[in-house]
Amino acid sequence: MNSFARFARSALQYRWTVAASLVCSLGIAVLWAANFSAMMPIVDGVMHGKAIPALLEDRITSWSQQNAAIDVEIAAAQKQLKIAADAAIQAKLAALKSDRADNERWLSGLEKVLPLATRWLPATPFGTLVLICSFLIISTLVKSGLRIANTLLVAKLGNLTSLKLRKEFYRRTLRLDLGTFRQTTNGELMTRFTTDMEWIGLGTQVMIGIGVREPLKMLTCLIFAAFFSWQLLLITLVCAPPAAFAIHMLAKSLKRANRKALQELSVVYDHLEESFDGIKVIKAFTMESHERSRFHRLSRKYYGRSMRIALYDAIVGPLTETFGLVLIVGVVTAGGYLVLNQQTHLFGIRVSNQPLTHGMLTAFYCLLIGIIEPSQRLSSVFSYLQRASAASDRVVELLDRTSQLKNPEKPVRLPTRLGDIAFNNVVFSYKPS
């Protein structure tokens, strides 16, 4: 991967293009998560005949009632402490004060938002539904435009990287002495000029495009989900480390398989060049059958390598999908228990300051589902990057070669006059005279 990083870094010299692609990716990610979060006001508000201002008023009332209940518990705990100092009561009192402070921060924020929502947002459920649907349409159009721009920008970066690399590779190859040049077959050189550099360019596009955009989409979904309940989010992410380890092992296998496949392809190119250059000899000695058998063996070896790569590619997608499904099933079970029983604790762990609503849990589910598609897209990124890494190792192997002919430290100047050069009795003709 170090070799590929060396080439990918050259794309960073086009700073404005890179910056523009990152801005597009960030915009796509924020709009992606915002679309899923729009489910909360629909479920909690519109489906219950309430507009967003009324929904905020209900939340303020709920938080205020909960603060009043906490104040009663705090007063009772303080009375108990006056009677007898107890560590358990002190811990309970500290937890109650912490919950009271958290609730107060949320309540203060809602009270600041309520006047703005009352002034600018619709006061009817249908108006709220129209507003949310309009937002979804507009955000999707904007997101599509940003995605088109992002795709064009990363394609530009990948093609510029390939162009620069080809020019540098060709320049260094022409500077080699004949002895060093002939250490590599023409088939090897052609493979590196075409297939290997094509994979490096594609790898650069994927890394700066999908490799940045999809993780940002996942990150924004996680941030929005943490806004609803970061404790529940942590509980549902317990399967992330096994998934990361499995994908890491597959990535290593993919790189090895791709490196061997590129080597086999070079051998096929060498055989084709030898066959086409020596076609007269093959015909003269009736070696067609032998050459066909030889080509078949080489092609079968390349076919075997390609099928192994296809196997690894086929495994990555279902693997990430399975881990994603396990994550969703876990959060559906845990969240369903919390909402249906109006609980704030799961396995003795506080999940939220107040019971989650149906809308909050629905938005939470949608945000986690929104992580699945980017994770599936990322499964293809590993394949591209491992192929690009294998191709980069092969290109670096030849790119860093140096000529065996060295200029002397103290070159001797030729004499100004070497003598006359004369041609005597020289005759040339295509037909004998």
Side-chain angles (χ1 to χ4, degrees):
M1 191 63 74
N2 291 334
S3 300
F4 175 65
R6 166 182 168 181
F7 298 133
R9 278 194 299 269
S10 64
L12 300 180
Q13 66 179 315
Y14 308 104
R15 297 178 181 177
W16 289 110
T17 305
V18 173
S21 67
L22 292 177
V23 170
C24 291
S25 296
L26 182 59
I28 292 169
V30 172
L31 292 174
W32 175 263
N35 286 353
F36 290 112
S37 300
M39 292 301 298
M40 187 190 72
I42 292 178
V43 175
D44 280 347
V46 175
M47 290 187 177
H48 291 82
K50 296 179 181 179
I52 292 179
L55 183 62
L56 291 176
E57 290 176 354
D58 289 347
R59 293 292 168 80
I60 290 174
T61 302
S62 175
W63 284 103
S64 300
Q65 292 175 350
Q66 187 174 4
N67 280 349
I70 293 176
D71 289 339
V72 172
E73 293 184 33
I74 290 175
Q78 289 175 340
K79 288 182 179 179
Q80 291 177 351
L81 282 177
K82 290 179 180 179
I83 298 173
D86 189 290
I89 298 176
Q90 290 178 345
K92 179 182 178 180
L93 181 60
L96 289 171
K97 288 183 178 180
S98 177
D99 292 343
R100 180 68 168 77
D102 291 340
N103 290 353
E104 192 61 37
R105 283 194 294 269
W106 280 101
L107 185 59
S108 176
L110 291 176
E111 289 175 343
K112 292 178 181 178
V113 172
L114 180 59
L116 298 175
T118 304
R119 180 178 180 182
W120 297 105
L121 298 181
T124 63
F126 181 74
T128 302
L129 180 62
V130 171
L131 177 66
I132 295 174
C133 292
S134 300
F135 167 76
L136 291 175
I137 293 174
I138 294 172
S139 66
T140 301
L141 291 175
V142 174
K143 181 162 62 69
S144 299
L146 290 174
R147 185 164 181 173
I148 292 172
N150 180 259
T151 302
L152 293 175
L153 289 170
V154 298
K156 178 181 178 181
L157 289 172
N159 290 325
L160 286 174
T161 301
S162 298
L163 174 63
K164 180 181 178 182
L165 179 57
R166 283 193 178 96
K167 290 169 61 178
E168 178 68 14
F169 190 85
Y170 187 69
R171 181 179 64 84
R172 294 197 181 190
T173 301
L174 290 180
R175 288 184 176 181
L176 295 175
D177 61 278
L178 288 178
T180 305
F181 183 85
R182 288 173 179 170
Q183 292 175 359
T184 308
T185 63
N186 292 339
E188 284 282 332
L189 288 174
M190 291 300 295
T191 305
R192 284 163 171 78
F193 263 109
T194 55
T195 306
D196 291 357
M197 292 191 184
E198 187 70 22
W199 275 115
I200 293 174
L202 287 173
T204 303
Q205 292 185 42
V206 168
M207 182 186 69
I208 302 178
I210 299 177
V212 172
R213 183 177 66 241
E214 302 307 319
L216 279 177
K217 289 165 68 174
M218 297 173 65
L219 180 61
T220 52
C221 284
L222 290 173
I223 292 174
F224 277 58
F227 177 81
F228 295 110
S229 175
W230 63 267
Q231 299 96 328
L232 182 59
L233 179 64
L234 289 179
I235 293 174
T236 57
L237 292 180
V238 293
C239 67
F245 176 76
I247 292 173
H248 172 70
M249 297 305 296
L250 277 174
K252 293 176 64 176
S253 300
L254 266 172
K255 182 176 180 179
R256 289 195 300 268
N258 278 290
R259 184 185 295 114
K260 293 179 180 179
L262 290 171
Q263 293 172 353
E264 298 295 341
L265 183 59
S266 298
V267 175
V268 172
Y269 280 179
D270 285 339
H271 176 72
L272 289 174
E273 183 184 13
E274 292 175 4
S275 300
F276 295 153
D277 288 345
I279 189 66
K280 292 182 179 179
V281 178
I282 294 174
K283 291 287 187 181
F285 289 91
T286 63
M287 295 293 290
E288 293 90 344
S289 178
H290 172 75
E291 293 299 324
R292 282 197 304 269
S293 299
R294 183 183 172 195
F295 181 75
H296 175 74
R297 290 194 301 271
L298 296 175
S299 299
R300 288 290 299 182
K301 289 181 68 176
Y302 178 66
Y303 167 78
R305 301 295 183 189
S306 300
M307 288 305 300
R308 179 169 295 184
I309 294 172
L311 174 63
Y312 293 146
D313 285 341
I315 293 174
V316 171
L319 181 66
T320 55
E321 183 177 358
T322 300
F323 278 110
L325 180 61
V326 171
L327 186 147
I328 295 299
V329 170
V331 73
V332 166
T333 305
Y337 168 80
L338 293 171
V339 172
L340 294 176
N341 295 283
Q342 287 295 287
Q343 295 292 320
T344 59
H345 289 72
L346 190 67
F347 304 116
I349 302 173
R350 176 176 287 277
V351 175
S352 61
N353 292 328
Q354 65 174 0
L356 297 173
T357 65
H358 290 83
M360 295 172 66
L361 191 61
T362 300
F364 191 87
Y365 289 159
C366 291
L367 288 166
L368 292 184
I369 293 173
I371 297 174
I372 294 178
E373 182 184 343
S375 66
Q376 290 176 336
R377 290 175 181 262
L378 281 177
S379 65
S380 64
V381 171
F382 290 104
S383 176
Y384 277 102
L385 291 184
Q386 295 310 315
R387 293 180 184 180
S389 178
S392 300
D393 292 341
R394 287 163 48 79
V395 171
V396 166
E397 180 183 349
L398 297 187
L399 187 65
D400 291 344
R401 291 183 306 175
T402 57
S403 177
Q404 295 179 358
L405 297 180
K406 304 293 184 181
N407 291 325
E409 296 181 359
K410 297 181 179 180
V412 178
R413 183 182 297 275
L414 292 173
T416 56
R417 183 176 179 82
L418 296 176
D420 296 331
I421 298 176
F423 296 91
N424 297 318
N425 300 322
V426 176
V427 178
F428 171 78
S429 65
Y430 284 103
K431 295 182 180 179
S433 57

